[in-house]
Structures are given as structure tokens and as C-alpha cells.
Amino acid sequence: MASPAAPPSHRRSLRRRRTALLSVGAVAAAGLGAVPFVMNANAGAVELARQTLPAKDGWAASGSGTTGGSKASTARVYTVSTRAQLVKALGAATNSAPKIIKVKGKINANTNAAGKALTCADYSSGTGYSLAAYLKAPSGSQEKARAAAQAKQKKNIVFTVPANTTIVGVPGTKAGITGGSLQVKNVDNVIIRNLSLTNTRDCFPAWDPDDGDTGNWNSEYDSVTLRGATHVWVDHNTFSDGPNYDSAAKTYFGRKYQRHDGALDITNGSDLVTVERNRFTNHDKTMLIGSSDTDSVGKLRVSIHHNVWKGISQRAPLARIGQIHLYNNYYDTTTVNGYAHSYSINSRAKAQVIAERNYWKVPAGQKIAKLLSGDGTGAIAGTGNLVNGKATNLVTAYNTANSKKLKTTANWKPTLTARLQPSAANLPTSLASTTGAGVLS
């Protein structure tokens, strides 16, 4: 079962505790970019599990900031290494008392309470569903059976995260969750750090004949999904489909049998989110901001910085409505494991994106105009972006080649920019060793 962890030995009274941050300039000079080292002026480094989002570090620092479970009592600090322990530690979604959950090693979400691995056949057992029968008649009784089987899997692999929670991987244990989906829904103040989040897949995709011109397969489950969530910090995680890549998917009804949805989706009026120093790789529809063109106006404020995007087909991100700040990210658009690049940033539904000082590595022959996308209503502003080391106006390149123009000015100005580096030139090198799971200690 989940075990309470011992209290950190360095804790001092709140009156005496002071926090100091290494300056961005000093860290950059060391070739590390802007790694969030948090120091206690009296007692050295603050324990990883109790670290909070630094001041002015993107939208999640707005207002009350993001502290997660940092104030958790000793009795509400858990170390978990199985699915059953994780479920118990999370507890009721309505229990908002601060808690810290330390993930030790790899947790397989597709297991039962006893730890036995579950397959898609286990979830479909007793429902009457079979793919062969569904392909013959993807409606009626088989659609009901598919939905029933999907509901069984959902109950097992979706983990609901309460307010005021920190979930963090234990350093040195290759911590992560495979096949699972962390859902942060209608709650405030959550931190997710240092986790490898892989192979989140739907056993039972649905066929929608009205999706697009020729129909499409639609799957459920993002590795992390934010719905109506506020003050969320997603930091130093690795997102990947591996080892079940889309290239191995079969084709039915002329479309790829897609079992993956998003990696990190931010929708349904989510707001005040900072996404930093993650690695996104081996994925198609990676990050969606805004569930539809009518999602919540005045919300969806997201900062995305110092992330690595490699082997990503699209949605890095796809942004609707909100105010999104993209800075100091590294995009490598080389095809990896069959994931060919379609576009990086899509601004639509009047989204106000500021993309500055990012670096794109683009193979020879790839058109710069393909790095962006839009519907003619979204904006992408910002300067200092580099393509293969050369200063490039991405919006001009896109607008020259497309009839639906991106707007070039945004209606807001970022102020929460404590980690903004003045140049993108060193990002391919500095982010290689300072992003993703397993870096923090």
C-alpha cells in the first residue's frame, strides 16, 4: 500500500524560511538555460516534492501562484509504485487538502487491483464487442458493446487529480505512468513533474463517418488532460506513444486505426497554466488548447517554454481563443518512428499567440511556410525565432503561401516572463540535457 514519507529534515518555520532563485543569467552562462533550482536561504535546496512554481514563471504564477501539495502534512505524503497505490493516494476528487504523491518506478495503468496486467481482451470480455464484428457494422449493438468495453478501460486507466496536489517522480527510479491518463478537472493548484508518460492508448476507438470528408477514427484519453483546471504547472515530463507507434496501426475504412489522442490537452475553460521543460516525442495530435471554437473567452491563458518537440506531427500547440506565450522552445521537425511533421503551431478561433525566441531544426527541402497554420482569425506575434540558426519571420513565410492569413499583432503583452532567454541560438544544446523526466534531483 502507499506509504507516508518522512518529513523533510530541512523544514524551518514559515517566519524564517526564505526562497532564493538562481538568476536566469547565471544559469544560462553555465549552459543550462533556465533550470528551476529552488534554494532555501537557511538550509540549502528545497526538497523536490515540496518545490513550488517560481514567481513570474508564466501564466500559472498569476494571482495566488501554483504551490500544489507543498503544504501537505506528513500524513498526506505518499510514495506509490503500483496502480492500486496511486488510486488510494489520490483519494476522492473532492478532497482538496494538500497532498504529495511520489511515484517510484514505472506504474502500469492497465493492471487490476492485484497487479495483474490487463489486455484489451480483458476489457471487452463480457461486453459482446469484437473488432471484426464492429468493422462489419460500426453502429447499433456493436457500437453499444464498444462503448461498454471502452467504459471498462476508462474506469481503470483514468486517474482523477484533486486540487492542491503535487505528483512527482522519485529521482533515479525511471518514474512514470504507462497506459494511463491523469485528469485534472475543475480543480485548482496542481503540479505534475518528473514523470515519463507513455503509451496512453484507447483499446476501442470509435468510427465517425461524419468526421471530415471521408470519416475518421476517434480515440479517448490524453496522457494529461486539463478540463476547467486552473493554476497548473507541468514541468520536466516526457510524453511519448512508445512503444506502440502509429506507424504500426492498421487501416480500416481507408483511415488509420488511431488509438492515441492528445499528449497534453488544455480545454474547457482551463486557465493559468505553465508548461515547461518537457519532452514531447513520437506523437501526432500533441497539445490542444481550447476544445472548440466556442471554448471559454477570457481563459485558456497558457505559457509554454523551454520544451523539446521532436517526432511530433501536429498541434505543438493548436491554440484557440486564449492568450498563449510560446518562448525558448526547440522544435526538431525531422521524422521519427514514422511521425512526419505536418505543422508546429496552429492559431485559430481568434487565439492570441506570442511566439518568440524559439528554434526550429528543419530538414533540407522542408518549406518554412509549413511550420505554422491557421484559419484566418488567429494571431501569431513575436520575434527572435530561428530556423536552422537563421533569424526567420515565420508568419511572413506562412502568409505569403496561404490565403487565410495569420494576424501579426496580439492584443496582450506578456509580463510573467522570469525565464525568458534573450536568444534562441543555444537552445538545441542547452535543452538536450535539461528537459524531460529523470533530469530533476
Side-chain angles (χ1 to χ4, degrees):
M1 61 181 294
S3 57
S9 60
H10 62 267
R11 292 185 68 187
R12 303 294 178 96
S13 70
L14 292 178
R15 284 191 307 109
R16 295 179 60 195
R17 186 171 179 266
R18 294 182 297 149
T19 298
L21 298 177
L22 292 181
S23 71
V24 172
V27 179
L32 297 177
V35 183
F37 292 101
V38 180
M39 304 297 292
N40 182 296
N42 292 315
V46 175
E47 180 194 6
L48 176 63
R50 292 190 182 272
Q51 290 178 10
T52 62
L53 178 69
K56 297 186 178 181
D57 189 356
W59 274 117
S62 181
S64 59
T66 302
T67 60
S70 61
K71 296 180 180 178
S73 65
T74 303
R76 293 182 62 80
V77 179
Y78 306 92
T79 297
V80 302
S81 57
T82 68
R83 175 193 167 276
Q85 291 174 351
L86 175 60
V87 170
K88 185 175 181 179
L90 286 167
T94 55
N95 190 337
S96 60
K99 69 172 60 180
I100 293 171
I101 300 175
K102 301 179 181 181
V103 177
K104 185 176 181 180
K106 185 76 72 176
I107 292 176
N108 181 3
N110 288 291
T111 53
N112 64 15
K116 178 185 175 182
L118 299 177
T119 65
C120 295
D122 291 316
Y123 295 126
S124 63
S125 178
T127 66
Y129 172 84
S130 77
L131 178 58
Y134 185 79
L135 291 173
K136 291 179 181 178
S139 61
S141 62
Q142 267 301 298
E143 170 53 25
K144 291 181 180 179
R146 185 206 65 79
Q150 188 179 68
K152 288 177 66 176
Q153 184 185 22
K154 181 178 181 178
K155 185 177 180 179
N156 211 72
I157 72 168
V158 174
F159 304 104
T160 303
V161 182
N164 305 313
T165 296
T166 291
I167 304 178
V168 60
V170 176
T173 69
K174 298 182 179 180
I177 301 172
T178 182
S181 176
L182 294 175
Q183 183 175 99
V184 187
K185 184 177 181 180
N186 298 329
V187 296
D188 181 68
N189 195 30
V190 170
I191 295 173
I192 300 171
R193 304 182 75 195
N194 205 38
L195 294 173
S196 177
L197 300 160
T198 60
N199 196 26
T200 303
R201 60 175 182 153
D202 186 348
C203 284
F204 311 104
W207 173 250
D208 183 354
D210 298 319
D211 185 349
D213 295 333
T214 60
N216 218 334
W217 291 100
N218 292 316
S219 59
E220 297 286 338
Y221 321 124
D222 312 315
S223 293
V224 175
T225 181
L226 312 184
R227 298 179 182 176
T230 53
H231 290 108
V232 181
W233 182 27
V234 182
D235 170 63
H236 277 93
N237 302 290
T238 297
F239 295 82
S240 173
D241 289 349
N244 289 291
Y245 305 124
D246 285 353
S247 56
K250 294 184 179 180
T251 298
Y252 303 116
F253 303 133
R255 303 292 292 177
K256 182 185 296 182
Y257 189 60
Q258 178 58 268
R259 292 189 169 189
H260 301 111
D261 195 17
L264 169 59
D265 280 7
I266 304 166
T267 63
N268 296 79
S270 292
D271 198 21
L272 305 177
V273 178
T274 296
V275 180
E276 68 174 292
R277 294 194 176 273
N278 302 281
R279 296 187 70 88
F280 297 94
T281 186
N282 299 309
H283 198 83
D284 183 2
K285 296 177 288 186
T286 306
M287 182 185 295
L288 178 66
I289 301 176
S291 58
S292 71
D293 289 357
T294 57
D295 207 320
S296 304
V297 174
K299 298 185 178 182
L300 300 170
R301 292 173 290 180
V302 183
S303 297
I304 304 169
H305 70 86
H306 292 93
N307 301 281
V308 171
W309 315 74
K310 183 175 182 179
I312 295 304
S313 296
Q314 58 181 316
R315 299 187 182 180
L318 184 156
R320 295 183 172 109
I321 300 172
Q323 295 175 337
I324 293 91
H325 194 197
L326 280 158
Y327 59 96
N328 296 153
N329 296 284
Y330 174 48
Y331 295 86
D332 183 344
T333 63
T334 307
T335 298
V336 178
N337 291 319
Y339 291 91
H341 181 266
S342 174
Y343 66 82
S344 297
I345 305 169
N346 185 318
S347 180
R348 59 194 307 108
K350 300 182 180 179
Q352 302 293 302
V353 177
I354 297 177
E356 58 181 331
R357 305 174 200 178
N358 302 289
Y359 191 109
W360 273 264
K361 177 183 177 181
V362 176
Q366 182 174 327
K367 295 181 179 180
I368 306 303
K370 294 290 187 179
L371 299 180
L372 305 181
S373 184
D375 67 348
T377 70
I380 298 182
T383 60
N385 296 302
L386 305 180
V387 176
N388 295 337
K390 181 180 179 181
T392 305
N393 190 319
L394 304 179
V395 177
T396 296
Y398 173 84
N399 283 345
T400 299
N402 292 275
S403 58
K404 294 183 178 180
K405 311 295 185 183
L406 287 164
K407 300 183 185 305
T408 59
T409 57
N411 63 6
W412 69 290
K413 182 178 180 180
T415 58
L416 301 170
T417 57
R419 303 198 178 282
L420 177 61
Q421 291 176 244
S423 172
N426 193 46
L427 292 176
T429 301
S430 65
L431 296 185
S433 59
T434 60
T435 56
V439 174
L440 296 175
S441 61

